[in-house]
Amino acid sequence: NAGVMQNPRHLVRRRGQEARLRCSPMKGHSHVYWYRQLPEEGLKFMVYLQKENIIDESGMPKERFSAEFPKEGPSILRIQQVVRGDSAAYFCASSPEGQVLRKQYFGPGTRLTVT
Amino acid sequence: AQSVSQHNHHVILSEAASLELGCNYSYGGTVNLFWYVQYPGQHLQLLLKYFSGDPLVKGIKGFEAEFIKSKFSFNLRKPSVQWSDTAEYFCAVNARRDDKIIFGKGTRLHILP
């Protein structure tokens, strides 16, 4: 059973471009969480999604950021018009149900660099 | 809102030394508590967790943590560290009423051989 997959592992974008980060949850997992880790910071919750639904987006910046988890395919975190401050490691985690009593399995992360 | 505070950003120890990493959280309700570890170049992994019951929790690789409710603390301990314990350690809390995990800023542990 493959773990949580994220791609790309490294992404370089110029200011103003769009960044698309993909997360494929573990087989059988229908819940995905996105976290951002800024330099010298811990992981900060961004958004929690179930298939085709956003459950909690309280950690998402109000502008330029969006997330989806379609019925088929990976979850996508999209950042429009990137700025230098978006440079960070973005991690996703998946779980088989909404309660964190089932532990979240983390992916390897995507390191975004904005030049 | 919940928050997690880890007392040390960097810790350097020699092999065989004892380890204690501090973690305090702020939240008035019932919580689940976690310690995660990220070895260099690897994924974040769960080290141990507390949901209920015995406040002394044993995890993988000889780690343990004690939940002290009155102090809002969940410190991580290991009696004798090894070079392979070099990693970054994150304390995290989840309020039972929701599904978010709130992480601390992490502690980088460096073990000298």
Side-chain angles (χ1 to χ4, degrees), chain A residues 62-90:
Chain A
K62 294 283 183 268
E63 297 175 348
R64 301 187 298 107
F65 285 71
S66 62
E68 63 177 12
F69 188 18
K71 191 175 177 183
E72 301 290 337
S75 174
I76 307 284
L77 179 67
R78 185 175 172 218
I79 311 172
Q80 294 178 290
Q81 298 176 308
V82 295
V83 300
R84 288 229 172 94
D86 297 332
S87 295
Y90 292 82

Side-chain angles (χ1 to χ4, degrees), chain B residues 19-34:
Chain B
L19 169 72
E20 181 157 4
L21 300 183
C23 173
N24 286 90
Y25 68 94
S26 64
Y27 181 68
T30 307
V31 294
N32 298 318
L33 296 157
F34 308 83

Side-chain angles (χ1 to χ4, degrees), chain A residues 2-11 20-26 32-37 43 46 74-77 88-94 105-112, chain B residues 38 42-44:
Chain A
V4 178
M5 312 278 282
Q6 287 188 250
N7 69 81
R9 294 292 306 276
H10 299 272
L11 182 62
R20 291 170 71 90
L21 288 63
R22 293 175 194 78
C23 170
S24 298
M26 286 181 71
V32 164
Y33 309 78
W34 284 94
Y35 295 86
R36 177 165 64 174
Q37 185 179 25
L43 279 79
M46 298 181 76
S75 174
I76 307 284
L77 179 67
Y90 292 82
F91 292 91
C92 84
S94 73
Y105 294 81
F106 281 82
T110 294
R111 196 161 295 277
L112 172 66
Chain B
Q38 189 172 25
Q42 293 191 27
H43 302 193
L44 208 63

Side-chain angles (χ1 to χ4, degrees), chain B residues 61-80:
Chain B
K61 304 188 182 187
F63 285 90
E64 64 178 32
E66 186 175 11
F67 171 45
I68 303 179
K69 191 174 180 181
S70 60
K71 294 184 178 180
F72 297 89
S73 71
F74 191 54
N75 292 355
L76 181 71
R77 298 195 293 249
K78 185 170 182 177
S80 176

Side-chain angles (χ1 to χ4, degrees), chain B residues 46-107:
Chain B
L46 183 67
L47 204 53
L48 49 78
K49 60 184 182 237
Y50 170 81
F51 290 153
S52 64
D54 188 345
L56 184 62
V57 179
K58 300 219 183 279
I60 60 171
K61 304 188 182 187
F63 285 90
E64 64 178 32
E66 186 175 11
F67 171 45
I68 303 179
K69 191 174 180 181
S70 60
K71 294 184 178 180
F72 297 89
S73 71
F74 191 54
N75 292 355
L76 181 71
R77 298 195 293 249
K78 185 170 182 177
S80 176
V81 293
Q82 300 171 304
W83 178 77
S84 57
D85 294 324
T86 294
E88 190 157 16
Y89 293 80
F90 295 93
C91 181
V93 64
N94 151 250
R96 296 232 183 127
R97 59 177 173 76
D98 68 35
D99 292 313
K100 288 191 298 228
I101 294 182
I102 307 299
F103 285 83
K105 290 188 178 182
T107 298

